Amino acid sequence: MSPASPDPSSDRAASAGAGAAAATAAAPPAAVDEDTLRAEQRWTPAKIVLWVAISLVGAIGWLMLALARGETVNAIWFVFAAVATYLVAYRFYAKFIQNRLVRPDDTRATPAEAEYDGKDYVPTDRRILFGHHFAAIAGAGPLVGPVLAAQMGYLPGTIWIIVGVVLAGAVQDFLVLVISTRRHGRSLGQMARDELGLVGGIAAFIATLTIMLIIIAILAMVVVNSLGESAWGVYSVGLTIPIAVFMGLYLRFLRPGKVFEVSVVGVILLLLAIVSGRWVAETGWGEALFHLDRPVLAGLIIAYGFIAAVLPVWVLLAPRDYLSTFMKIGTIVMLAVAIVVVRPSISTPAVSEFASRTDGPVFTGALFPFLFVTIACGALSGFHAMIASGTTPKLVEKERQMRMIGYGGMLMESFVAIMALVAAVSIDRGIYFAMNSSAAATGGTIEGAAQFVNSLGLTGVNLDPATLSQTAKDVGEESIVSRTGGAPTLAVGLAGIMHKLVGGAGMMAFWYHFAIMFEALFILTSVDAGTRVARFMLADVLGGWKPRFRDHSWRPGAWLTTAVMVAGWGSILMMGVLDPLGGINTLFPLFGIANQLLAAVALAICLVVFARKGRTWSLLIIAVPLAFTAIVTITGSAQKIFSSDPGVGYWANHLAYRKALADGKTELGLAKSVEDMHAVVFNTAVQGSLSILFVVCTIIVLLVSLWRTWQALNGKNLLDTEAPRVESEYFAPAGMVATPGEKQLEGRWADHLREHPEKDLAGTVGH
């Protein structure tokens, strides 16, 4: 049930004596621990020394990465520069944003408390919610993008990943979560309609919904390609589903509130799933049951997406994502520790030959703007805005937790991207280009790959076929040539570092396949959360026609909107899986630009919201990353649409294949048959058309948002779209670890709820 708001007239109506005593006994404890708030503002000599030391470590790390010019650079400096920058940014810049822009109020009930329904609106323990949010936002982008961007050298990608997340990506995630939480947990599309009006709202809805479907389909396709025909991966990833359901039931019915206890159980079961997967895959029945073709696997993922989106969040979504987070964060931390211990040397140059060219073998286009859209999630991601305005605002307990979940969660994803970049640049450059160059360039053979890579004229690179053959043997693969897409390269890099820490050379194959499964699990958790968010988006829009759709407890509406959204991205997924060229060729180039265009839309909406709240100079916190993102994405879109280079422009490639067909040719480039050539013509037409749709809608949103911001700064059209304030009768700590004062206040609240069980949100996850 939803807790009742306190009646301010109850004290006035109470009689003296026993009546007044009863009223006093019924009064809940404070919703905020004032001692903790004061302690946050208090500086001590120890604190000053600590932060000066962290800053110095970060400065030394950046100095070594940016200015040291030897033959190699130690990978340990990536870890030091990144971690120190994240800590300083979270402590100071995120706190500055919280104080100047957000101004959280923990005495105000969040939607999870005020609109509690036990299904979609559920106050969720901050640690579990951090895991859910991180698992939902961390998809393919932070793993694949940095690997591809390593073509430009290690420095451009490192700067964008770390600086970009501090000033843009984490800011967007934090602020979108804030404004959605203050508006019943509404979706980004609905908030655009409320803030921008009819024209801007329609453009934003078209952009967000179509981009969302493309993103989910691409994420699902990467999972299909990673797990297809892999019995080990299908078994281990699939087993996380019943494990998560068990965790949800355990927390709700068996041991409510025992988060650490269920975490230990979940991690043990997850490790058993990983270890037993290898044994199951080697059995006859395991091979028969879990060795699935890609179309079959795609159908199962589509069915899973529907089920996960309609079940209550406590049953599957939150505990499964929390469980996945253990593996994600655990693996990345383990890799970071291995880098510090092993200290691998990086021979990749800081800025490579391809940074000043447009004909790179991994991806085409200049460093600006394509580096900034290739690294799609590690620095800034519009998809995160959909999660921050989808499931998370309906689960967050207190407003002061949003800095940790929104800003902190994105910093963690950025660290994932840095680790992926280090893994990619730690392997031999010749092997890197042999793995990431197309089969048309390498011929798909070790001899052809060696010849092609050596023809690139890379300084210090002399690749021979025997090296490629031995590397494939070490990781247990028949071939590593032209294993494009980034995931196999990351797996080779991770295995190359980890085997030096644990297991030796004989463990290379284990670590490689462990990494492949890790990547698939990483991405799949974004599919389930994305499906639920897409359902919320459609429900918000249909609510304008039939208001009951906005009632998320109305199950027929939830099932209908989920079915429509799953059918949308599922049809795109199946089209891609059955595509003769693999599907990724059609959809993945759209991912980066579309994702960043969506980020521009999200930041534009935030700009309007906070301008209407009376903010002025602090709006630069939003305006600066918005301007940079808009310039990058619009420039990239223009080049993809209008470039005459077939390697860059969609329509140039489209016309080249149409001309080849008209001239009677039967193959061109990667297309080895007339059917494949027709597929390329169709695919590039889809790419070009969607690119035009995305950028036009985004430009409309940007123009309308600038107009609305200008009006607000001049005191005009000051709409207040926030939900009515409801006084909170609920307490939860703000940080990952409760302070002593917060622990005492938790105890007083526990006593109060035992005396007044009717006010307890019974069965809430983590309580």
Side-chain angles (χ1 to χ4, degrees):
M1 71 175 180
S2 179
S5 298
D7 184 0
S9 65
S10 59
D11 290 338
R12 295 192 301 268
S15 60
T24 301
V32 179
D33 178 40
E34 297 293 341
D35 291 338
T36 297
L37 295 180
R38 285 191 292 270
E40 288 179 352
Q41 307 300 325
R42 191 182 305 123
W43 280 94
T44 64
K47 281 186 178 181
I48 295 173
V49 171
L50 173 65
W51 286 107
V52 168
I54 291 173
S55 301
L56 286 175
V57 169
I60 294 172
W62 279 111
L63 184 69
M64 296 301 297
L65 292 177
L67 301 181
R69 288 292 178 268
E71 291 186 1
T72 62
V73 62
N74 199 297
I76 197 173
W77 299 118
F78 290 88
V79 177
F80 288 169
V83 172
T85 303
Y86 297 150
L87 291 174
V88 171
Y90 183 77
R91 172 58 184 85
F92 296 100
Y93 191 55
K95 196 66 176 292
F96 174 79
I97 295 171
Q98 178 174 275
N99 294 338
R100 290 298 183 93
L101 272 180
V102 177
R103 301 173 188 174
D105 179 9
D106 276 0
T107 65
R108 175 177 181 149
T110 63
E113 177 187 352
E115 302 175 42
Y116 171 74
D117 63 4
K119 299 179 179 66
D120 297 311
Y121 292 84
V122 182
T124 303
D125 185 278
R126 64 203 182 281
R127 294 158 293 188
I128 291 181
L129 184 56
F130 180 89
H132 156 70
H133 182 78
F134 173 74
I137 65 174
L143 298 175
V144 176
V147 174
L148 304 181
Q151 170 180 265
M152 301 288 188
Y154 68 77
L155 188 58
T158 300
I159 293 174
W160 171 233
I161 290 170
I162 299 177
V163 177
V165 74
V166 169
L167 299 179
V171 173
Q172 175 213 248
D173 290 18
F174 183 19
L175 296 183
V176 171
L177 177 58
V178 167
I179 65 175
S180 179
T181 301
R182 285 283 181 94
R183 288 159 179 78
H184 303 286
R186 286 182 180 170
S187 68
L188 190 69
Q190 183 59 40
M191 289 192 294
R193 174 66 178 85
D194 295 339
E195 301 295 336
L196 304 182
L198 181 62
V199 175
I202 291 175
F205 171 73
I206 294 173
T208 55
L209 192 61
T210 52
I211 290 173
M212 191 68 176
L213 293 178
I214 290 290
I215 289 173
I216 297 174
I218 293 173
L219 293 174
M221 196 176 304
V222 173
V223 174
V224 171
N225 289 342
S226 298
L227 296 181
E229 301 173 358
S230 172
W232 184 2
V234 171
Y235 166 82
S236 297
V237 174
L239 204 58
T240 63
I241 298 174
I243 292 174
V245 172
F246 168 75
M247 290 176 64
L249 296 173
Y250 191 98
L251 268 180
R252 189 167 181 91
F253 299 113
L254 299 179
R255 302 277 286 172
K258 303 297 182 181
V259 176
F260 178 77
E261 183 177 301
V262 78
S263 300
V264 173
V265 174
V267 169
I268 292 174
L269 293 175
L270 180 62
L271 292 175
L272 288 175
I274 297 170
V275 173
S276 62
R278 186 173 193 175
W279 171 77
V280 170
E282 293 173 351
T283 65
W285 63 269
E287 179 74 9
L289 190 59
F290 298 108
H291 189 278
L292 303 178
D293 292 334
R294 284 171 172 76
V296 175
L297 191 57
L300 291 175
I301 290 176
I302 292 171
Y304 167 78
F306 177 83
I307 295 170
V310 298
L311 284 174
V313 289
W314 64 265
V315 175
L316 177 59
L317 185 65
R320 184 191 187 282
D321 289 352
Y322 183 57
L323 178 65
S324 301
T325 301
F326 276 110
M327 183 174 180
K328 294 175 180 181
I329 296 180
T331 302
I332 293 302
V333 170
M334 184 173 61
L335 178 58
V337 170
I339 289 172
V340 172
V341 175
V342 176
R343 291 178 295 169
S345 295
I346 307 299
S347 59
T348 299
V351 181
S352 78
E353 302 88 340
F354 298 105
S356 58
R357 293 159 53 179
T358 62
D359 60 343
V362 179
F363 68 93
T364 57
L367 186 150
F368 182 87
F370 291 108
L371 173 84
F372 302 97
V373 295
T374 299
I375 302 177
C377 292
L380 174 65
S381 171
F383 175 73
H384 297 187
M386 311 309 295
I387 303 299
S389 63
T391 54
T392 306
K394 299 175 179 64
L395 305 175
V396 67
E397 298 170 303
K398 289 292 176 181
E399 291 189 356
R400 289 179 65 245
Q401 295 176 349
M402 292 188 284
R403 178 169 71 112
M404 177 189 72
I405 295 168
Y407 200 97
M410 183 56 188
L411 291 181
M412 189 67 221
E413 173 162 350
S414 178
F415 189 57
V416 172
I418 284 293
M419 293 298 96
L421 179 65
V422 171
V425 298
S426 68
I427 68 175
D428 179 82
R429 288 188 81 199
I431 295 175
Y432 169 84
F433 283 103
M435 293 186 69
N436 290 283
S437 299
S438 69
T442 65
T445 65
I446 56 176
E447 294 80 12
Q451 181 179 357
F452 171 75
V453 171
N454 291 333
S455 71
L456 295 175
L458 303 174
T459 303
V461 173
N462 184 21
L463 185 64
D464 64 275
T467 300
L468 293 173
S469 178
Q470 184 60 46
T471 303
K473 182 180 179 181
D474 290 341
V475 299
E477 293 286 298
E478 293 183 4
S479 174
I480 60 168
V481 173
S482 296
R483 295 291 300 274
T484 57
T489 303
L490 173 58
V492 169
L494 186 146
I497 295 172
M498 289 305 305
H499 88 274
K500 296 178 182 177
L501 181 69
V502 180
M507 287 287 286
M508 276 281 286
F510 169 83
W511 285 117
Y512 174 85
H513 288 93
F514 174 87
I516 289 292
M517 188 199 64
F518 154 73
E519 292 170 280
L521 182 61
F522 216 111
I523 297 164
L524 187 60
T525 50
S526 295
V527 174
D528 51 25
T531 301
R532 187 176 289 260
V533 171
R535 162 197 146 192
F536 290 144
M537 292 171 59
L538 183 59
D540 278 342
V541 173
L542 294 179
W545 163 66
K546 186 177 178 62
R548 197 172 183 188
F549 275 103
R550 288 180 179 165
D551 178 7
H552 298 298
S553 63
W554 184 45
R555 306 320 293 172
W559 296 333
L560 177 61
T561 51
T562 300
V564 172
M565 291 294 94
V566 170
W569 66 257
S571 61
I572 298 172
L573 170 62
M574 292 303 297
M575 178 186 71
V577 170
L578 299 174
D579 189 309
L581 296 183
I584 290 293
N585 295 327
T586 307
L587 299 175
F588 197 78
L590 286 173
F591 180 86
I593 291 178
N595 198 31
Q596 307 302 59
L597 286 172
L598 189 55
V601 170
L603 287 168
I605 295 170
C606 289
L607 187 69
V608 176
V609 168
F610 286 102
R612 284 174 168 167
K613 291 181 70 66
R615 312 297 192 264
T616 52
W617 287 108
S618 57
L619 291 177
L620 289 173
I621 295 170
I622 306 170
V624 171
L626 171 59
F628 180 79
T629 305
I631 291 171
V632 166
T633 52
I634 293 174
T635 302
S637 296
Q639 292 189 22
K640 283 294 184 181
I641 295 168
F642 298 111
S643 175
S644 59
D645 181 358
V648 176
Y650 294 139
W651 293 109
N653 203 23
H654 173 82
L655 294 174
Y657 274 86
R658 285 187 61 179
K659 184 178 184 299
L661 286 169
D663 292 343
K665 295 182 179 179
T666 58
E667 63 177 271
L668 180 66
L670 286 173
K672 301 303 181 183
S673 67
V674 173
E675 291 77 13
D676 287 352
M677 293 174 69
H678 280 293
V680 173
V681 169
F682 176 79
N683 293 345
T684 50
V686 171
Q687 289 174 318
S689 300
L690 288 177
S691 295
I692 294 171
L693 174 67
F694 294 160
V695 74
V696 168
C697 289
T698 302
I699 290 174
I700 292 173
V701 171
L702 292 175
L703 293 176
V704 174
S705 67
L706 291 176
W707 171 243
R708 297 298 188 196
T709 301
W710 177 256
Q711 287 182 316
L713 292 175
N714 286 276
K716 301 176 182 178
N717 200 18
L718 297 178
L719 301 179
D720 184 3
T721 58
E722 285 190 358
R725 191 182 192 281
V726 176
E727 193 73 18
S728 177
E729 290 195 10
Y730 191 88
F731 173 76
M736 188 69 72
V737 179
T739 65
E742 288 175 331
K743 290 180 180 179
Q744 292 179 7
L745 190 53
E746 277 188 301
R748 293 199 294 271
W749 269 93
D751 294 339
H752 174 75
L753 292 177
R754 274 192 292 270
E755 295 174 3
H756 304 279
E758 74 281 359
K759 293 186 177 183
D760 186 14
L761 300 183
T764 296
V765 177
H767 294 277

